[in-house]
Amino acid sequence: MTSLLKPRSDLPRMDAESVLIFDLDNTLYPSACNLFAQVSDLIGNYVRDTLSLEPDEAHRVQKDYFHRYGTTLRGLMTEHKIDPADYLDKVHDIDVSVVAPAPDLAKALDDLPGRKLIFTNASRGHAERVMGRLGIADRFETIFDIVDANYIPKPQQEPYDLLLARDDINPAKAVYFEDMAKNLLPAKEMGMTTVWVHTDVEWAQAGNDDPRIDHHTDDLVGFLRTLAKAA
């Protein structure tokens, strides 16, 4: 079922100048895949091995850096000057077969006019592997990843500014889909239409009741179909 905060008449009208911007993890595939649990475990291993910590202390540091810096990577770069390329390679060495191909999502994307982009705090390689598994890689014009963001994560403002400048995006014509509610707020302040894709992940809930979020959905494909009908 698709859940909307506003009636259909308030949906943006899609045309050739529209831009659909999607977060990747737990947005384009269900959080029930638990794909990020694999990444989280590998991050914990990386922190443990790099900082020579016991597992419990490594877990504490991992979560502390995530909450203070937005990503554990940013914390490790700031506090310990680690090599981000090495980190990204190791923590995204996961099994993406738990993600099911998504032909309905591919069709829903096909039915919408305009440009389509990925905006992720993860790496380009990770995004490409997940998109390939979903069967939607060729539906997207480009990927804006954490390297493109100078390793500064959402929801800090700089990645949003860099994305709009690099890809010549008019925020008034953009619709942004994201599972982490707080990451929608800078986009809304810039003039984008915002859509929170529901997830059961606890750390994605912060900000979900903010009135600046235009729409909520628990069914991305259903929402995209509704958006296409409103075009």
Side-chain angles (χ1 to χ4, degrees), residues 55-85:
D56 286 349
E57 178 62 10
H59 180 77
R60 187 197 68 77
V61 170
Q62 173 186 352
K63 298 306 178 183
D64 175 54
Y65 287 176
F66 175 79
H67 289 293
R68 284 201 289 135
Y69 293 99
T71 61
T72 304
L73 170 60
R74 189 70 181 173
L76 288 168
M77 291 176 66
T78 302
E79 301 277 351
H80 304 283
K81 311 302 181 187
I82 63 104
D83 175 10

Side-chain angles (χ1 to χ4, degrees), residues 127-128 130-142:
E128 289 172 343
V130 172
M131 292 162 67
R133 177 66 183 166
L134 288 166
I136 58 173
D138 60 353
R139 270 67 176 186
F140 289 87
E141 174 184 313
T142 190

Side-chain angles (χ1 to χ4, degrees), residues 68-75 77-78 84 88 119-122 144-163 183:
R68 284 201 289 135
Y69 293 99
T71 61
T72 304
L73 170 60
R74 189 70 181 173
M77 291 176 66
T78 302
L88 291 170
F119 181 26
T120 177
N121 276 347
F144 187 97
D145 75 342
I146 193 66
V147 180
D148 297 313
N150 296 326
Y151 302 103
I152 299 170
K154 300 178 285 184
Q156 295 187 49
Q157 184 63 48
E158 186 171 338
Y160 301 81
D161 294 336
L162 290 170
L163 170 68
N183 290 351

Side-chain angles (χ1 to χ4, degrees), residues 14-171:
M14 304 299 295
D15 57 35
E17 296 181 357
S18 298
V19 184
L20 295 174
I21 303 170
F22 294 86
D23 176 55
L24 180 80
D25 289 307
N26 296 338
T27 298
L28 288 178
Y29 61 85
S31 59
C33 294
N34 218 17
L35 190 66
F36 198 77
Q38 295 185 56
V39 177
S40 182
D41 287 346
L42 290 175
I43 292 173
N45 293 344
Y46 187 94
V47 173
R48 179 198 65 202
D49 295 344
T50 302
L51 304 185
S52 300
L53 301 175
E54 293 298 318
D56 286 349
E57 178 62 10
H59 180 77
R60 187 197 68 77
V61 170
Q62 173 186 352
K63 298 306 178 183
D64 175 54
Y65 287 176
F66 175 79
H67 289 293
R68 284 201 289 135
Y69 293 99
T71 61
T72 304
L73 170 60
R74 189 70 181 173
L76 288 168
M77 291 176 66
T78 302
E79 301 277 351
H80 304 283
K81 311 302 181 187
I82 63 104
D83 175 10
D86 178 62
Y87 171 96
L88 291 170
D89 284 344
K90 289 178 178 174
V91 307
H92 290 128
D93 184 19
I94 60 172
D95 175 15
V96 299
S97 67
V98 296
V99 176
D104 289 346
L105 176 58
K107 177 64 166 59
L109 291 167
D110 286 341
D111 289 342
L112 283 162
R115 302 161 62 197
K116 301 166 184 78
L117 298 80
I118 297 294
F119 181 26
T120 177
N121 276 347
S123 69
R124 179 178 300 272
H126 172 69
E128 289 172 343
R129 287 189 293 275
V130 172
M131 292 162 67
R133 177 66 183 166
L134 288 166
I136 58 173
D138 60 353
R139 270 67 176 186
F140 289 87
E141 174 184 313
T142 190
I143 297 167
F144 187 97
D145 75 342
I146 193 66
V147 180
D148 297 313
N150 296 326
Y151 302 103
I152 299 170
K154 300 178 285 184
Q156 295 187 49
Q157 184 63 48
E158 186 171 338
Y160 301 81
D161 294 336
L162 290 170
L163 170 68
L164 265 59
R166 190 196 74 172
D167 294 312
D168 192 24
I169 297 169
N170 175 3

